[in-house]
Each structure stands twice: as C-alpha cells, then as structure tokens.
C-alpha cells in the first residue's frame, strides 16, 4: 500500500514538496487556506489587466545555474520562458533623478561620478560584487560527495562572501562613506539594518542576469507548477484551513480540516510557522530557533499594494522611486514620502495591447487595516478608494496624463494578505535579512514530533522564491527518508 503525505499550503514550497514526492511514487494531498494556489506567489487579474503581487526579481533565472536547474525540475520555468533583466532603475533624492545601472562597470562608474571621494571603497565594493557574479549560489545542502565537490569548486566565492559579510549591517559599510548622496543611493538599494551581504548578493545576481523577471510573472510560474503537480497525480483541497495536526505516539498522524480528519503517514507544513506552532499544535511544542525569531526578529513589514491598469504606455522603467514631499497618508500611523512605482510595460501578458499595468508598494500598519475591515467594511472600502485617488493624484503630478489613463484600480491591504495567505503579523516575506536573524540556522523539524517536516519562507531568513522552492525539495527528501 502506497504511503501518503499531507502537505499544508499550496505555495511555492508546498507544491514543490508535492512534485518531488509524487515523482518518487509517494501519494500527496495539499490543503490550501485560500481558493487558489500560490500563497504569496500570487497575481490577480482585473478586466484584462494582471497585477503581480510577488516577483520583484527572481534569483536563479540564468540558464545553467543551480537554482535555474531547480526551477526547471518543478516547471517554475521552462526552457522557452523569456526573462526580462532591467538595465537600470531610477530613484530621486533632493529633487534629482538618478538612474542606477544594473550592470557592473556602468554601476561602478555611476557611483564614482556621484562620489569621487569614495572611489576606493566603491572599487572594493564592486570587486566583491564581481566575485558574486562569477560564483554559483548553491541550491541547498549537498546530498552526496559529488554535490559537495561541486559546491566547493563552483560556490567557493559565494561561501566566502557570506562568511565575510553576513554579520555586518549595511550601516556599518555605508556610514564609513563620505558622500551623503551615495549613502542615500545605497540605503535605497538595501535598508541600513539589513545585512551588507544582502546588497552584494542582490546586485551580483541581478548584474549577471541571474535575478530577472520571467514574462508571465507569478501567475505563470505558479500555474506551471500546479499543472505539473496535477499531472503527477497530486490533489489540492482549496479553501481548506487546517485547524489541527493530530499526533499519535509522538508521530504526526492526521490533519483536521473543516471538521474532518485526514490520515497521513507523514505531514509537511509549508505554511505560516506561527500558525503551526501556536494553533495547529496548540502551543505544546517549543522550537529552538523559530520561537525567538517569531517573538522578536524583524520581519518584512506589512504592505499595501496599489495597482493600476492604464490605457496607454508611458515608457516607464521597471522601477522608479519618486520623492513625495507632500506625503501620502497610508493609514492612521503611516505617511509615505516616497512612491516606488513598478511598471510591467515589458510584459505583454500584464495588460491588453498598447496598454500597461503599474503597481505602487506602500509600507502599512496591519492593525489599522484589519480593524477597519472587521469593524466597518463600508469604511474599509471607502478608505481604499480614497487611497487610490491620492496615489493617482500624486503620480499624475510626476507622470503627466497618468490620471486620465487609469482604467482599472485595485488596492490590496495587509488585511487582504492576511485573508488570502494567513501571514503572521502581515509579513509578506517572513524574517528580514538582518545580521542577528542570520545567526539562526532554522531546523526543519520540531523536537518531540516524528513525521512532521517544515519548509517555506518562514524556515529561511530572508525569504525568497528560490529558497522556498529549495526548502520544498529538502522537505520531500526528509519525508521520503522517514517513510522508507
């Protein structure tokens, strides 16, 4: 009789787990809280316009690299998937627009033109980025001697950079610079409290074409993966919140969802870890790394996403960060003085012909939006409409004709993300990549429970698409080994 593994969550990690287990002949079923697959790898369509709520850049898009090969295994990418790599991004400081190149030599020349007095430190930074460009990011831990040799041969530069910089804050590097504009540019690229290694990794992967945007975005990535999982015989239960993980003799034996019990030989939790520990397991089990991280680690902040379908194209760059001195009131606590607009003009699937879609991401307050939606749904809808008008008005001052071009408006608040993806504290990508959080190597099991395996963005500091998929593969290996 074939073994069965039940998986909680149909996001990148959960579907990846299912794919690898189905390939091994192990039957799986996935329980997903929302009505569609994807988790935070999500896009939504409104009257022919598609808005991508996930992918800013996707590490591992360069053919032949370890993560690219991983994506191909789960059909996140296909051989003919077109990858868009932005050549530059724009930002404003003190009324001046700066175009930041996303290739190494122009990037170095640009920084030196901004701050000749910091040229020595800029040269040193770019040398480290070049090391990142010429090395491979390993896609997970080696499972054998040959994989270990490959990592030692091809990923040595990455490992050395991580060892050297993962414990250093951005501010430790930036505050040693002399030029204030250069400091602002680098803080725009990576916040001061994050690890300096994050900047080097992000720029290195983007500058060599290994962190691009796959045309079709999150919509096509997750559709390909879901389709492949179903081809392999997998099954997904949508709108199926898991209320309890049932244990028998210290083993994960069943799930309770919608008042029913579903028996399992093993369980993989590819979902919110707070929900797993505090709700599904009733707070009865400690986790040495997750407990302190969930208690006090910095998280990626809750966001509101304002999306607009435009009946024309404005020749906008992929990312443009506008100053907004007048400020936009997001909620009772947050006022934004910047508008970061992302344009998808390069992707034909994002809008009807000769049209375009754009998004503005705004840091928000979870409690405000949750309370407003819960206590007064009508005021919640009204406030979303007001916010949309304020963002449109601000953008129209900077992009003449923007207001008249808007055909479709959509506002997704932190309450929206909670409703669809059950995110702890509304965090869209889990634990932020700070030096203090990077000290934790999160174990993918819970002491005292056999047959329960953890994966997903809450099991890797910094989150990300590549690590979510890889963690699903790792969970499948652990579950398959347990079932032998």
């Amino acid at each position: 009789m074939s073994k069965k593994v039940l998986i909680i969550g149909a996001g990148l990690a959960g579907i990846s787990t299912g794919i690898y287990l189905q390939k091994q002949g192990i039957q799986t079923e996935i329980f997903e809280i929302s009505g569609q697959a994807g988790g935070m790898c999500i896009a939504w369509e409104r009257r022919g316009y598609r808005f991508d709520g996930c992918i800013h850049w996707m590490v591992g898009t360069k053919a032949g690299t370890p993560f690219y090969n991983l994506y191909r295994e789960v059909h996140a990418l296909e051989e003919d998937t077109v990858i868009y790599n932005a050549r530059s991004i724009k930002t404003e400081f003190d009324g001046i627009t700066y175009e930041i190149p996303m290739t190494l030599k122009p990037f170095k020349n640009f920084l030196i033109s901004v701050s000749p007095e910091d040229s020595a430190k800029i040269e040193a930074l770019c040398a480290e980025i070049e090391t990142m460009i010429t090395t491979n990011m390993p896609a997970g831990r080696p499972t054998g001697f040959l994989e270990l040799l490959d990592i030692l041969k091809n990923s040595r530069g990455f490992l050395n950079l991580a060892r050297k910089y993962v414990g250093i804050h951005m501010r430790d590097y930036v505050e040693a610079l002399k030029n204030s504009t250069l400091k602002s540019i680098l803080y725009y690229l990576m916040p001061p409290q994050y690890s300096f290694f994050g900047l080097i990794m992000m720029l290195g992967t983007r500058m060599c074409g290994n962190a691009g945007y796959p045309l079709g975005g999150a919509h096509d990535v997750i559709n390909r993966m879901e389709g492949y999982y179903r081809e392999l015989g997998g099954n997904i239960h949508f709108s199926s919140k898991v209320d309890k993980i049932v244990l028998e003799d210290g083993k994960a034996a069943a799930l309770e969802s919608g008042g029913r019990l579903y028996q399992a030989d093993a369980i993989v939790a590819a979902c919110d870890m707070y929900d797993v520990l505090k709700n599904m397991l009733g707070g009865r089990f400690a986790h040495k790394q997750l407990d302190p991280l969930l208690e006090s680690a910095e998280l990626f902040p809750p966001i509101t996403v304002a999306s607009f379908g435009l009946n024309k194209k404005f020749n906008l760059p992929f990312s443009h960060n506008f100053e907004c001195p007048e400020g936009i009131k997001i909620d009772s606590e947050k006022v934004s003085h910047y508008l970061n607009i992302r344009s998808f003009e390069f992707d034909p699937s994002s809008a009807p012909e000769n049209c375009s879609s754009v998004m503005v991401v705004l840091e928000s307050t979870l409690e405000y939006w949750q309370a407003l939606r819960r206590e007064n749904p009508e005021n919640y809808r009204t406030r979303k409409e007001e916010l949309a008008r304020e963002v449109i008005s601000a953008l129209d001052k900077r992009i003449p004709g923007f207001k008249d071009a808007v055909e479709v408006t959509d506002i997704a608040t932190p309450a929206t993300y909670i409703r669809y993806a059950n995110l702890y504290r509304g965090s869209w990508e889990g634990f932020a990549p700070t030096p203090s959080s990077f000290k934790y190597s999160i174990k993918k099991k819970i002491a005292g429970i056999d047959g329960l395996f953890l994966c997903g963005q809450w099991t890797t500091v910094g989150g990300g698409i590549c690590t979510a998929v890889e963690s699903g593969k790792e969970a499948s290996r652990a579950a398959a080994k347990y079932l032998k």
Side-chain angles (χ1 to χ4, degrees), residues 33-44:
I33 192 172
S34 77
Q36 64 188 66
M40 280 307 296
C41 186
I42 189 171
W44 49 95

Side-chain angles (χ1 to χ4, degrees), residues 226-410:
E226 180 186 357
Y228 185 44
Y229 172 66
R230 292 186 184 279
E231 284 178 20
L232 293 169
N235 181 41
I236 304 178
H237 302 268
F238 289 117
S239 302
S240 297
K241 183 181 186 298
V242 172
D243 300 305
K244 186 178 181 181
I245 296 173
V246 179
L247 307 179
E248 293 180 4
D249 300 323
K251 298 180 180 179
L255 295 181
E256 183 179 315
S257 177
R260 289 183 56 189
L261 278 182
Y262 297 84
Q263 300 298 319
D265 296 294
I267 293 171
V268 174
C271 55
D272 182 88
M273 288 300 130
Y274 182 89
D275 198 23
V276 171
L277 292 167
K278 304 305 180 185
N279 298 322
M280 298 179 199
L281 292 170
R284 292 174 291 143
F285 295 87
H287 193 288
K288 191 174 181 180
Q289 297 83 38
L290 284 171
D291 284 344
L293 284 168
L294 290 167
E295 176 70 24
S296 60
E298 180 174 351
L299 307 180
F300 284 96
I303 57 173
T304 291
V305 178
S307 304
F308 305 102
L310 310 176
N311 63 16
K312 62 183 292 186
K313 296 182 178 182
F314 287 89
N315 194 30
L316 299 173
F318 178 53
S319 176
H320 193 148
N321 193 47
F322 289 103
E323 286 182 309
C324 188
E326 67 271 30
I328 292 180
K329 188 174 182 180
I330 311 304
D331 50 52
S332 60
E333 296 182 18
K334 298 282 186 183
V335 175
S336 178
H337 291 285
Y338 285 94
L339 286 172
N340 186 271
I341 184 170
R342 287 196 294 141
S343 169
F344 297 87
E345 292 184 2
F346 59 87
D347 188 349
S349 70
S350 69
E353 189 174 2
N354 298 320
C355 299
S356 60
S357 70
V358 301
M359 304 178 77
V360 175
V361 178
L362 303 160
E363 188 174 325
S364 301
T365 305
L366 171 63
E367 293 76 13
Y368 169 86
W369 290 104
Q370 273 194 308
L372 190 60
R373 182 178 182 274
R374 180 179 60 250
E375 296 167 8
N376 196 320
E378 184 59 37
N379 283 355
Y380 175 73
R381 287 189 291 271
T382 299
R383 180 64 196 118
K384 290 204 298 181
E385 292 168 359
E386 290 172 350
L387 179 58
R389 288 194 293 270
E390 291 168 20
V391 172
I392 289 170
S393 177
L395 287 174
D396 193 60
K397 295 175 184 176
R398 294 152 177 85
I399 307 170
F402 186 92
K403 180 178 180 180
D404 291 338
V406 174
E407 284 196 333
V408 175
T409 297
D410 184 86

Side-chain angles (χ1 to χ4, degrees), residues 173-191:
Y173 171 82
V174 172
E175 291 308 317
L177 299 171
K178 299 172 183 177
N179 186 281
S180 60
T181 300
L182 179 60
K183 291 181 181 182
S184 296
I185 289 170
L186 293 176
Y187 281 148
Y188 164 64
L189 294 172
M190 192 67 58

Side-chain angles (χ1 to χ4, degrees), residues 190-248:
M190 192 67 58
Q193 71 274 25
Y194 286 8
S195 169
F196 182 53
F197 176 64
L199 176 75
I200 295 171
M201 185 177 71
M202 181 270 288
L203 290 174
T205 52
R206 293 184 74 174
M207 287 181 179
C208 69
N210 195 28
Y213 183 95
L215 297 198
H219 176 276
D220 286 7
V221 166
I222 207 66
N223 276 8
R224 284 191 291 264
M225 291 177 65
E226 180 186 357
Y228 185 44
Y229 172 66
R230 292 186 184 279
E231 284 178 20
L232 293 169
N235 181 41
I236 304 178
H237 302 268
F238 289 117
S239 302
S240 297
K241 183 181 186 298
V242 172
D243 300 305
K244 186 178 181 181
I245 296 173
V246 179
L247 307 179
E248 293 180 4

Side-chain angles (χ1 to χ4, degrees), residues 57-265:
W57 60 83
M58 183 172 170
V59 172
T61 54
K62 187 176 181 180
T65 60
F67 277 113
Y68 178 84
N69 295 335
L70 184 71
Y71 293 147
R72 291 295 310 281
E73 289 174 0
V74 297
H75 291 213
L77 298 179
E78 300 289 10
E79 188 176 5
D80 61 353
T81 302
V82 177
I83 306 297
Y84 172 78
N85 291 289
R87 304 294 293 179
S88 65
I89 58 177
K90 291 184 178 182
T91 188
E92 288 182 358
F93 298 109
D94 299 324
I96 300 173
T97 298
Y98 296 90
E99 185 168 1
I100 306 172
M102 284 290 111
T103 50
L104 185 58
K105 187 174 179 180
F107 176 76
K108 180 172 70 173
N109 293 339
F110 164 73
L111 294 187
I112 291 174
S113 73
V114 170
S115 179
E117 62 269 34
D118 287 306
S119 58
K121 288 188 176 293
I122 292 168
E123 292 276 2
L125 169 64
C126 290
E128 301 292 45
I129 295 171
E130 186 170 19
T131 298
M132 185 68 215
I133 288 172
T134 57
T135 189
N136 276 338
M137 284 182 63
R141 300 173 183 173
T143 58
F145 183 67
L146 291 179
E147 285 190 15
L148 176 60
L149 284 180
D150 181 73
I151 289 174
L152 291 175
K153 177 183 177 182
N154 297 308
S155 302
R156 188 182 299 274
F158 174 86
L159 297 174
N160 287 338
L161 288 169
R163 185 164 46 247
K164 188 175 179 181
Y165 293 120
V166 78
I168 295 177
H169 290 89
M170 271 293 293
R171 70 171 73 92
D172 296 333
Y173 171 82
V174 172
E175 291 308 317
L177 299 171
K178 299 172 183 177
N179 186 281
S180 60
T181 300
L182 179 60
K183 291 181 181 182
S184 296
I185 289 170
L186 293 176
Y187 281 148
Y188 164 64
L189 294 172
M190 192 67 58
Q193 71 274 25
Y194 286 8
S195 169
F196 182 53
F197 176 64
L199 176 75
I200 295 171
M201 185 177 71
M202 181 270 288
L203 290 174
T205 52
R206 293 184 74 174
M207 287 181 179
C208 69
N210 195 28
Y213 183 95
L215 297 198
H219 176 276
D220 286 7
V221 166
I222 207 66
N223 276 8
R224 284 191 291 264
M225 291 177 65
E226 180 186 357
Y228 185 44
Y229 172 66
R230 292 186 184 279
E231 284 178 20
L232 293 169
N235 181 41
I236 304 178
H237 302 268
F238 289 117
S239 302
S240 297
K241 183 181 186 298
V242 172
D243 300 305
K244 186 178 181 181
I245 296 173
V246 179
L247 307 179
E248 293 180 4
D249 300 323
K251 298 180 180 179
L255 295 181
E256 183 179 315
S257 177
R260 289 183 56 189
L261 278 182
Y262 297 84
Q263 300 298 319
D265 296 294

